[in-house]
């Protein structure tokens, strides 16, 4: 069964045994379940092409205190990573909207309602087609590491075990 949701929802499904495998933020020190690292994605800051909030292509991270932010919903790994990163610089952005939809986020940003942090692979086409603009943050930006989580190999179905073996084999190629 394939399911969607925030990282918090997926962990709850795993712990409640509603799901055997879940794709979530990679946390290698997690004690409640086992994790298999799969990869990482770059997170970028996007704005409208002619944004009144960010008219220039570069920004310092502290300037984000003054810019309206469209954020992923609570429980989202991307949201957690972004807010953790911003707190390191004592940045507490004004969140004007929360959404779990990448399409809605991109639409709100295109309308210049605010800016948003989003995984680059979700907006690279929009940036190349000039629908959105990538903003260079002078300090570093975080990335999201993700992996497959499961309670234990003993509880997995044959299909889930085959999927894990396939992941292992793809890493060795």
């Amino acid at each position: 069964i394939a399911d969607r949701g925030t990282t918090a929802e997926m962990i709850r499904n795993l712990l409640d045994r509603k799901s055997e495998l879940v794709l979530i933020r990679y946390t290698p020190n997690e004690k409640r379940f086992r994790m298999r690292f799969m990869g990482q994605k770059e997170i970028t800051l996007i704005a409208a092409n002619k944004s009144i909030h960010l008219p220039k292509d570069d920004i310092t991270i502290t300037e984000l205190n003054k810019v309206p932010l469209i954020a992923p919903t609570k429980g989202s790994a991307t949201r957690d990573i972004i807010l953790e990163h911003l707190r390191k610089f004592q940045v507490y952005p004004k969140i004007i909207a929360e959404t779990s939809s990448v399409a809605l986020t991109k639409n709100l940003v295109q309308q210049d309602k605010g800016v948003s942090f989003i995984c680059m692979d979700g907006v690279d086409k929009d940036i190349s087609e000039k629908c959105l603009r990538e903003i260079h943050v002078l300090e570093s930006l975080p990335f999201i590491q993700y992996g497959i989580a499961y309670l234990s190999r003993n509880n997995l179905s044959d299909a889930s075990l085959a999927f894990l073996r396939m992941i292992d084999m793809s890493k060795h190629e």
Side-chain angles (χ1 to χ4, degrees), residues 2 8 24 29 31 33 50 52 55 58 120 122 137 144 157 165 169-170:
I24 58 172
N29 299 324
K31 302 292 183 219
F33 46 82
K50 296 185 191 284
I52 60 169
D58 299 292
M120 184 58 156
V137 178
I144 183 168
S157 66
R165 281 193 295 273
M169 288 173 35
S170 70

Side-chain angles (χ1 to χ4, degrees), residues 90-131:
Q90 311 219 341
V91 172
Y92 302 92
K94 179 181 162 192
I95 297 173
I96 57 133
E98 296 181 8
T99 176
S100 61
S101 166
V102 172
L104 179 57
T105 299
K106 291 191 295 188
N107 188 290
L108 290 170
V109 170
Q110 284 176 331
Q111 294 175 34
D112 204 22
K113 303 290 185 194
V115 301
S116 188
F117 289 94
I118 199 160
C119 288
M120 184 58 156
D121 64 350
V123 292
D124 51 1
K125 182 179 176 191
D126 302 275
I127 291 169
S128 68
E129 293 176 353
K130 307 279 190 226
C131 298

Side-chain angles (χ1 to χ4, degrees), residues 38-84:
M38 294 208 41
Q40 67 183 25
K41 291 183 176 189
E42 177 185 356
I43 296 175
T44 192
L45 178 63
I46 57 170
N49 264 342
K50 296 185 191 284
S51 176
I52 60 169
H53 303 293
L54 287 178
K56 54 187 183 171
D57 290 334
D58 299 292
I59 187 172
T60 65
I61 209 158
T62 55
E63 288 177 278
L64 289 170
N65 275 319
K66 302 173 195 154
V67 180
L69 181 68
I70 299 157
T73 54
K74 289 180 180 165
S76 160
T78 304
R79 178 192 178 107
D80 293 344
I81 288 167
I82 294 300
L83 294 181
E84 287 167 14

